[in-house]
Amino acid sequence: AQTVTQSQPEMSVQEAETVTLSCTYDTSESNYYLFWYKQPPSRQMILVIRQEAYKQQNATENRFSVNFQKAAKSFSLKISDSQLGDTAMYFCAFMKLGGGADGLTFGKGTHLIIQP
Amino acid sequence: NAGVTQTPKFRILKIGQSMTLQCAQDMNHNYMYWYRQDPGMGLKLIYYSVGAGITDKGEVPNGYNVSRSTTEDFPLRLELAAPSQTSVYFCASSNRGLAENIQYFGAGTRLSVL
């Protein structure tokens, strides 16, 4: 079974600053995907970014980028030029590929607060 | 662009009552999932389906049942509601097997069992 650990329950930064959210995972699988989901107060789960484990290049989506260290089983999310609308819960999630159709395994989340 | 639609949005049940949470997707996705989210926690998988007529248990299936008679619909049934089932329930769908492998979520159903 896979586990996902997010060690920062809450973080707070000033608007326009850069913030990094940590995520580590444990798995014996070699083929998998990693995701960051955002959950604002509306509760909607919104995909922020995803990374295929077989790709060495770190994924980027506008102000969001990841630092994927496969050997260390680390998958951190960097948010540049943070905005008030980035305030939300952020969940790191793991999905294995191959046999079966298991869903996502989530961490407990990090509550990110962007201060004006 | 409806995506994944869940009904109802909120519900209060008494202990021992039954109810069905509805989930429908209009993206022709083959895979569908039910998760629950307890306070301060990430989502946990209850049941999933890889296509019409095929379902399987996830991490926390006890107290729930599902069916998948069509590609579009994946209802979740609570037979005898217990306080431990107070949670927010999310349905998701994906076209797993293709390169995308992204799960799209509904807006959630907040359920309280009193």
Side-chain angles (χ1 to χ4, degrees), chain A residues 37 44 50 96 102 104, chain B residues 35 37 96 100 103 105:
Chain A
Y37 276 88
Q44 182 70 51
R50 71 168 187 156
K96 72 176 185 180
D102 315 67
L104 295 162
Chain B
Y35 295 88
Q37 184 180 27
R96 183 165 176 157
E100 193 181 54
Q103 291 190 20
F105 285 82

Side-chain angles (χ1 to χ4, degrees), chain A residues 3-99:
Chain A
T3 59
V4 177
T5 302
Q6 294 179 249
S7 59
Q8 304 150 315
E10 185 170 287
M11 296 187 72
S12 180
V13 299
Q14 296 294 122
E15 193 176 6
E17 288 184 345
T18 294
V19 60
T20 299
L21 308 183
S22 301
C23 172
T24 58
Y25 59 95
D26 189 23
T27 184
S28 58
E29 303 286 335
S30 56
N31 295 318
Y32 51 88
Y33 281 79
L34 294 162
F35 303 83
W36 279 98
Y37 276 88
K38 171 184 178 181
Q39 187 180 44
S42 66
R43 289 204 315 257
Q44 182 70 51
M45 295 292 287
I46 302 166
L47 178 66
V48 174
I49 199 165
R50 71 168 187 156
Q51 174 80 41
E52 295 93 329
Y54 63 86
K55 290 187 177 179
Q56 291 189 336
Q57 186 173 6
N58 290 325
T60 62
E61 289 287 343
N62 300 314
R63 298 183 294 108
F64 299 87
S65 61
V66 298
N67 183 4
F68 174 49
Q69 302 289 329
K70 190 172 183 179
K73 295 180 181 175
S74 171
F75 183 61
S76 61
L77 174 69
K78 185 172 84 170
I79 305 174
S80 303
D81 185 27
S82 58
Q83 300 174 0
L84 296 178
D86 295 334
T87 293
M89 285 292 295
Y90 286 81
F91 293 96
C92 180
F94 173 102
M95 184 179 74
K96 72 176 185 180
L97 295 179

Side-chain angles (χ1 to χ4, degrees), chain B residues 24-38:
Chain B
Q25 53 94 6
D26 62 358
M27 297 174 281
N28 200 33
H29 284 168
N30 47 354
Y31 290 78
M32 296 188 73
Y33 308 83
W34 275 106
Y35 295 88
R36 60 177 285 172
Q37 184 180 27
D38 298 328

